[in-house]
Amino acid sequence: MSLPHAILTALLEKPSSGLELTRRFDRSIGYFWSATHQQIYRELGKLEQAGHIRALPAPVPARGQKKEYEVLPAGSTELAEWVARTEDPKPLRSSLLLRMRAAAVVGAPGMREELRRHLDLHERQLEEYRAIEERDFPPARRETEPDRLRHLVLRGGIDLERFWVEWLTHALAELER
């Protein structure tokens, strides 16, 4: 997945300014594909230059006014082609797992505390995802395929958080032995 495709997806859902996109990333897409303000604005410029998006005309021209962007047909085509591509799974990259491997070589002071901290973070994230599921995806709101796809993305996040909670709980128990 790439940031340009995430931005095209978000803009197809709703034309937005860079600031609005950043806020939307923080509330939804950012759960599985994060980006900074600077990255989003840089990609908006590239997408506009490529002819994939355009800034909507302002109702009243004003200096310093935020630009709102929409996706052009070329952007929709690019996104549809990207969705249709095949892509192999990528290996997991986890700095925590790498640090644990390094700790096996150089010692592990503070590793249990770090694992407990991660466990707490994953438990909180799991709780947040479950609250989103209850609020936004009751069974009656999963009627259409787009709704089911959005729910499945959330379920993927829930299942990943459950994995981490279970794994971290096991890891802490193993280290206590």
Side-chain angles (χ1 to χ4, degrees):
M1 174 158 182
S2 69
L3 181 55
H5 296 108
I7 291 171
L8 287 171
T9 300
L11 289 175
L12 279 169
E13 291 174 337
K14 179 182 180 225
S16 303
S17 68
L19 180 59
E20 290 165 341
L21 274 175
T22 301
R23 289 180 180 148
R24 289 175 56 210
F25 264 70
D26 289 344
R27 290 189 320 266
S28 62
I29 291 174
Y31 287 122
F32 56 90
W33 194 263
S34 62
T36 65
H37 254 56
Q38 293 84 0
Q39 290 171 316
I40 290 172
Y41 281 102
R42 190 171 38 248
E43 287 302 325
L44 284 169
K46 290 177 185 177
L47 287 166
E48 192 171 24
Q49 279 185 324
H52 291 157
I53 65 171
R54 74 174 179 126
L56 293 169
V60 179
R63 188 165 191 214
Q65 185 174 356
K66 65 181 179 181
K67 292 181 185 177
E68 192 167 272
Y69 296 92
E70 71 175 355
V71 177
L72 295 170
S76 293
T77 299
E78 166 57 30
L79 188 60
E81 289 172 357
W82 176 76
V83 168
R85 288 182 204 141
T86 59
E87 186 176 286
D88 293 337
K90 302 283 186 249
L92 173 68
R93 290 177 58 168
S94 168
S95 62
L96 177 63
L97 297 177
L98 181 57
R99 288 174 33 230
M100 289 176 71
R101 180 74 182 254
V105 177
V106 297
M111 187 53 67
R112 284 183 183 89
E113 291 77 21
E114 182 67 353
L115 291 174
R116 283 186 200 97
R117 189 178 75 79
H118 275 256
L119 176 59
D120 180 59
L121 291 170
H122 284 288
E123 286 173 334
R124 283 192 269 154
Q125 188 64 63
L126 177 58
E127 196 174 299
E128 184 176 343
Y129 284 165
R130 285 181 172 154
I132 292 169
E133 182 179 42
E134 186 176 314
R135 182 190 70 223
D136 295 346
F137 294 101
R141 289 205 43 210
R142 297 183 221 157
E143 295 298 317
T144 68
E145 185 169 341
D147 289 338
R148 288 191 295 273
L149 288 169
R150 286 183 192 98
H151 180 247
L152 286 168
V153 171
L154 179 60
R155 284 302 312 179
I158 289 170
D159 290 346
L160 284 170
E161 293 305 325
R162 284 193 343 216
F163 161 79
W164 281 112
V165 167
E166 183 179 323
W167 184 85
L168 286 160
T169 300
H170 173 78
L172 285 163
E174 186 69 21
L175 290 175
E176 293 300 322
R177 256 184 348 108

